[in-house]
Amino acid sequence: MRFTLISLIFLVALFSTQTKAQGNACNNANVFSNIINEVCWSCFLPVRLMGVGPKPNGAAPDQSICACNDALGIPEFGYQLGFWQPSRLVEHVRVPWCAPALGGVRLQDDLFSLSTGVDVKSSGGADLATYQYHYYSYPLFAMLEILYLPKCGGEYTDFDLMYLSEIDPTWNNDLLSILLSPEAFIFANPIAKAWCTADCAAITAGDVQESTYGCAGCDGSLYPFTGNVYDGESGPRVTSLLTQRVLASLHRKGLARKTIGEDAMCKPEFWPMIPKSQYKLSMLHPVAEADRNSPNGKCCHPLGESEHKWSTAAGGRTIPGLEDYLYLLWRFNDCCVISSGINAPSE
């Protein structure tokens, strides 16, 4: 943990000097200085203990006792626990290598990357834009040593950069992304569009279904898994959609795993489709959802919920000149808590 913190401090000091010298427009999201007032701590609730309590769709069935095999294959018995925890940060930026979560530094001092962040023209003449994303581990409970169960919900205990879209050749190429998601052809038809319209209505009503794995709710089309969007559209809606694409892409690559459900109680599963009910989002930047203007007192939302509920109803979560968006990712974990230790999703 000390090595990671020292490395981060060194990186911030090094690149902040370069940032000032170059005068670029990479904003500082103040992620660490605003932990108390910009984190939606109520998203931790509800908690399921020994099969008692509310649960999202796809969660493990109600049971008091569970069992996991030890290293020798011998079952060890424990009790069931299901809870939400802050696990990841996803930031979407218009300038490649810009890292608001790291204090507004530039991770590289030029614009070279396999994908770009500049506006382009589509074949139809419409303006397109490509967002880049950075995916961080952000296990707040472990970092603050509160509400933390070792090995229950993840092996990461520090803030760390896990993935960058700038080095991913599929992120700005719709055709190349088909190699990872060939089923995109199946969902590009009127029947699938109607299916996803119903998914939008269900999510807005508070019912997140795992059966609509090919949809992004009210945000738009989940496919292709790229950062290409129409320029000028609502920043909150577009980046909420892109967060779903990020998760779908990482699950397909095996870099994100399923931590919800009976089969994930002892060990996380590789899952090629995004388990939608496993995640909740809370915007941190530029306008945190955990503010006094959050509608109905809620400061996080399920994947695909209409932006009109969590953004427009709060007066919009955009600030001119701040086009970078950060989301805190809450993940549901089904655990089997063993008396001799804790067996549970770790990745």
Side-chain angles (χ1 to χ4, degrees), residues 91-94 96 115-117 130-134 165-166 171:
E91 65 181 6
H92 303 277
V93 297
R94 299 294 294 270
S115 52
T116 64
T130 298
Y131 280 87
Q132 303 301 325
Y133 78 85
H134 305 138
S165 63
E166 286 89 347
W171 183 244

Side-chain angles (χ1 to χ4, degrees), residues 38-39 98 110 311 314:
E38 292 189 355
V39 172
C98 171
D110 59 39
S311 177

Side-chain angles (χ1 to χ4, degrees), residues 60 80 84 94 108 135 154 195 224 227 238 254 264 323 339 342:
Q80 185 187 67
W84 293 94
R94 299 294 294 270
Q108 185 166 294
Y135 184 69
W195 181 42
V238 165
E323 284 81 20
S339 59
I342 306 227

Side-chain angles (χ1 to χ4, degrees), residues 252-314:
R252 185 59 54 87
K253 296 182 179 81
L255 301 177
R257 303 185 189 180
K258 186 180 180 184
T259 60
I260 189 173
E262 186 174 17
D263 294 337
M265 291 183 66
C266 299
K267 186 178 180 181
E269 294 185 287
F270 287 102
W271 202 252
M273 311 302 291
I274 178 174
K276 295 166 58 177
S277 60
Q278 175 176 297
Y279 297 108
K280 293 191 293 188
L281 297 180
S282 181
M283 181 184 283
L284 292 182
H285 181 80
V287 181
E289 279 190 67
D291 59 22
R292 296 178 181 178
N293 295 324
S294 294
N296 303 319
K298 295 182 179 180
C299 51
C300 57
H301 61 277
L303 298 182
E305 184 177 75
S306 172
E307 69 164 323
H308 298 303
K309 290 190 65 175
W310 63 272
S311 177
T312 307

Side-chain angles (χ1 to χ4, degrees), residues 44 60 65 76 87 99 102 120 125 133 135 149 165-166 179 202 208 218 237 242 245 259 280 293 308 311 316 328:
F44 169 68
I65 306 300
E76 292 185 303
S87 59
L102 294 177
V120 297
Y133 78 85
Y135 184 69
L149 297 174
S165 63
E166 286 89 347
L179 296 175
V208 182
C218 303
R237 187 198 66 78
L242 292 180
R245 291 184 179 181
T259 60
K280 293 191 293 188
N293 295 324
H308 298 303
S311 177
L328 174 58

Side-chain angles (χ1 to χ4, degrees), residues 101-240:
L102 294 177
V105 304
R106 285 279 293 279
L107 299 176
Q108 185 166 294
D109 59 1
D110 59 39
L111 296 181
F112 173 78
S113 62
L114 296 179
S115 52
T116 64
V118 298
D119 294 347
V120 297
K121 287 283 187 179
S122 68
S123 57
D127 287 334
L128 297 179
T130 298
Y131 280 87
Q132 303 301 325
Y133 78 85
H134 305 138
Y135 184 69
Y136 301 87
S137 67
Y138 195 58
L140 269 183
F141 289 168
M143 293 165 61
L144 300 178
E145 299 182 354
I146 58 173
L147 303 173
Y148 173 59
L149 297 174
K151 300 182 181 178
C152 189
E155 65 181 9
Y156 293 99
T157 58
D158 294 311
F159 177 78
D160 202 359
L161 178 59
M162 301 176 67
Y163 199 85
L164 305 91
S165 63
E166 286 89 347
I167 61 174
D168 185 349
T170 68
W171 183 244
N172 75 324
N173 190 314
D174 291 354
L175 184 60
L176 192 59
S177 71
I178 299 298
L179 296 175
L180 286 177
S181 55
E183 74 276 9
F185 293 107
I186 300 176
F187 296 102
N189 61 75
I191 296 178
K193 296 297 183 182
W195 181 42
C196 292
T197 300
D199 179 52
C200 170
I203 292 175
T204 302
D207 184 17
V208 182
Q209 295 288 341
E210 288 297 319
S211 59
T212 53
Y213 53 83
C215 300
C218 303
D219 288 335
S221 177
L222 183 63
Y223 295 91
F225 298 162
T226 68
N228 297 328
V229 294
Y230 287 108
D231 195 22
E233 294 192 1
S234 166
R237 187 198 66 78
V238 165
T239 52
S240 182

Side-chain angles (χ1 to χ4, degrees), residues 21-59:
Q22 296 166 3
N24 59 39
C26 190
N27 300 302
N28 182 3
N30 296 306
V31 170
F32 296 104
S33 61
N34 294 320
I35 287 179
I36 301 300
N37 62 328
E38 292 189 355
V39 172
C40 182
W41 294 105
S42 62
C43 287
F44 169 68
L45 301 172
V47 177
R48 297 181 67 225
L49 182 62
M50 300 185 71
V52 178
K55 63 180 180 180
N57 290 321

